[in-house]
Amino acid sequence: MNSLGTKVALVDDSPVIRNGIQEILELWGYKIVLTAINGKDLLRQLTTVNAPDICITDLNMPVMNGFETIAALKEKWPGIKIIAFSMTNNPCEEIRALQVGAHAFVSKTDSIIELQKVLQDMQQPAGI
């Protein structure tokens, strides 16, 4: 699947993770249009001009956590696909993230290939 042109926003309070994932996604051909340190920062920056196709958000962040971020995106920006991205591999967190509106959950402890597969799946037209 060709990732070129797919716009992505990254939300994570850890600069190491945010910058590392950004570099990997750019190598895969994704265009990073926004990076934010928490949900409030994301919503402050988000406009119709820089709106991503996909948002990858951490769940455990100060100020505005990932669950709140997902809910706000679903309400205000329903066209953005959301990947919940968490250090914990807690099934309860995964279920909660999906219930509030995430399209997928990827643990940061999984292989980076798992994130790549989820991103590719999100680019498939419906019904394929």
Side-chain angles (χ1 to χ4, degrees), residues 2 6 9 24 26 39 44 57 65 78-79 82 95 97 100 108 115:
N2 186 350
T6 301
I24 290 167
E26 287 172 346
R44 181 184 55 75
T57 183
N65 69 37
I82 305 164
I95 290 166
V100 295
K108 293 176 186 176
L115 178 61

Side-chain angles (χ1 to χ4, degrees), residues 60-101:
N60 299 299
M61 301 176 288
V63 183
M64 184 177 191
N65 69 37
F67 301 106
E68 296 164 327
T69 303
I70 293 164
L73 283 175
K74 290 306 292 181
E75 181 182 330
K76 297 175 183 164
W77 300 88
I80 298 174
K81 294 180 180 175
I82 305 164
I83 299 172
F85 195 51
S86 181
M87 186 61 75
T88 65
N89 204 0
N90 182 337
C92 294
E93 262 195 355
E94 179 176 355
I95 290 166
R96 183 174 169 210
L98 296 172
Q99 285 175 335
V100 295

Side-chain angles (χ1 to χ4, degrees), residues 12 27 54 127:
D12 201 303
L27 285 173
I54 299 170

Side-chain angles (χ1 to χ4, degrees), residues 9-37:
L10 293 173
V11 188
D12 201 303
D13 58 317
S14 167
V16 171
I17 291 181
R18 198 174 53 247
N19 295 338
I21 295 300
Q22 179 173 349
E23 286 187 31
I24 290 167
L25 293 179
E26 287 172 346
L27 285 173
W28 290 343
Y30 293 94
K31 181 179 180 186
I32 307 306
V33 293
L34 259 175
T35 61
I37 59 172

